[in-house]
Amino acid sequence: MRILVTGGAGFIGSHVVAALAGAGHDPVVLDTRPPPEGPEGREWVRCDVRDAAGVGAALRGVDAVCHQAAMVGLTTDFGDAPAYVGANDLGTAVLLAAMARAGVGDLVLAGSMVVYGEGRYTCPEHGGVRPGPRRPADLDAGRFEPTCPQCGAALEPGLVGEDAPADPRSVYAATKLAQEHLAAAWARSTGGRAIALRYHNVYGPRMPRDTPYAGVASFFRSALARGEAPAVFEDGHQRRDFVHVRDIADANTAALEAVAHREGGTLRAYNAGSGTPHTVGEMAEALANAHGGPRPRVTGRYRLGDVRHITASSQRLADELGWRPRVGFAEGMAEFAAAPLGDPSASA
């Protein structure tokens, strides 16, 4: 298949392009910057995804689209909201409108686990509950764990499934959910077929360095490269699902090969994670040990938009598309500790 990969020069996008080429497909990179291996190595369309004319031209002869282009990460200030909405939601709307005009009917969308807000929790008395947003007063006092909204008891975190209600708690999260809604509306209107892969905490080679919008793994790796101790927020016990970027690239390949066989007019969402939770503190320790750098330091600081625990069940992706993660946590962290980081602008 000839597949247009928006954001194909970015961190995740460049790995998706390599995986697609390795599987025998013909990926075309659409990005404002050249691919990491240079434009001579891949067909490259220099274009912003919000440029309707450029996107329309790039879609000629394309069988499917893999939409990776996005402004990522937690906002540093609400003043960033227009930039996020412009890059993520307007960009997606322009792309989908161009696909409708060109008759391209298959889409794989880079979604995110942030659409869930807090993860899945169980109260010993009330069963499954959804805690509200954490209060600054509790966080200032070092009370990081959410409690049962009915009785105040401690909660047990678990794996969240795709049918959990959405509860975005940051500007970035809201734009990622809006992308899914736009893709679903496009599919219903045009008879197109769409898959959204809700990425969990992706890490690996070429992850952008030294940018406030990158993931926590990049923060820690950048600190170690400077000879500094990784600064772990809260108490380090936040649970996350760290998934290697090559596994995410393989998930995109599986989704692109499957989407054409789905029923038209629909969007299907899949969690894309390793399935093995680790705490942020464990990740910082593993990375520091592999790098041979300073031990992490726990700061007690927090970011109000962060959630406490969010870990995925990727069973639907395994059952329906046959995807399995291949890179283990220890192996992946050892590789990442020695791998070069990417340009800060290559965050998508």
Side-chain angles (χ1 to χ4, degrees):
M1 289 190 295
R2 184 173 171 85
I3 300 166
L4 184 68
V5 183
T6 71
F11 163 47
I12 297 175
S14 62
H15 286 275
V16 171
V17 166
L20 289 172
H25 299 293
D26 179 19
V28 179
V29 174
L30 186 144
D31 210 311
T32 56
R33 56 190 179 271
E37 65 273 24
E40 70 281 354
R42 299 274 182 248
E43 186 173 348
W44 168 46
V45 179
R46 189 184 194 116
C47 180
D48 189 294
V49 76
R50 290 165 288 190
D51 177 353
V55 171
L59 285 168
R60 295 188 191 117
V62 163
D63 300 301
V65 172
C66 184
H67 184 29
Q68 303 292 321
M71 184 174 179
V72 301
L74 195 66
T75 52
T76 57
D77 184 274
F78 197 83
D80 294 329
Y84 274 88
V85 172
N88 298 353
D89 299 337
L90 176 59
T92 299
V94 169
L95 172 67
L96 293 172
M99 289 175 66
R101 289 190 296 270
V104 178
D106 293 332
L107 171 72
V108 172
L109 171 69
S112 176
M113 55 82 178
V114 294
V115 301
Y116 298 117
E118 287 286 351
R120 179 175 175 269
Y121 292 90
T122 302
C123 170
E125 181 175 350
H126 296 103
V129 297
R130 292 190 61 78
R134 296 185 295 170
R135 299 181 304 171
D138 288 335
L139 298 171
D140 288 337
R143 296 188 293 269
F144 301 120
E145 293 288 347
T147 56
C148 176
Q150 299 180 54
C151 67
L155 300 175
E156 179 64 28
L159 301 180
V160 65
E162 292 88 349
D163 295 328
D167 185 17
R169 298 189 177 185
S170 69
V171 170
Y172 172 62
T175 66
K176 295 306 288 183
L177 182 59
Q179 284 185 310
E180 289 194 23
H181 288 321
L182 286 166
W186 163 83
R188 286 192 297 271
S189 175
T190 65
R193 296 167 291 266
I195 285 175
L197 296 176
R198 292 173 176 168
Y199 302 162
H200 282 248
N201 290 73
V202 186
Y203 72 96
R206 298 198 293 272
M207 195 172 191
R209 67 179 184 277
D210 298 326
T211 168
Y213 302 98
V216 66
S218 174
F219 295 159
F220 294 165
R221 177 67 178 79
S222 294
L224 288 165
R226 297 190 300 268
E228 300 172 2
V232 179
F233 278 21
E234 301 186 19
D235 56 5
H237 295 163
Q238 312 93 299
R239 286 161 54 111
R240 295 291 187 269
D241 187 320
F242 299 101
V243 58
H244 196 278
V245 67
R246 286 198 300 274
D247 285 332
I248 289 296
D250 288 345
N252 275 274
T253 302
L256 284 158
E257 292 173 347
V259 68
H261 304 291
R262 295 198 53 79
E263 180 183 355
T266 61
L267 178 143
R268 182 75 161 160
Y270 296 90
N271 287 331
S274 72
T276 306
H278 290 274
T279 69
V280 171
E282 287 171 343
M283 189 270 284
E285 287 280 358
L287 198 56
N289 289 341
H291 190 274
R295 291 281 309 276
R297 58 185 179 87
V298 177
T299 68
R301 295 172 57 199
Y302 65 87
R303 298 190 301 179
L304 193 58
D306 279 338
V307 297
R308 179 62 174 174
H309 304 296
I310 176 68
T311 54
S313 169
S314 298
Q315 196 60 47
R316 176 186 289 182
L317 185 57
D319 291 345
E320 296 186 10
L321 302 189
W323 172 85
R324 299 287 191 284
R326 296 182 297 168
V327 182
F329 179 76
E331 173 194 354
M333 288 296 161
E335 179 198 26
F336 183 47
L341 294 174
D343 187 282
S345 66
S347 55

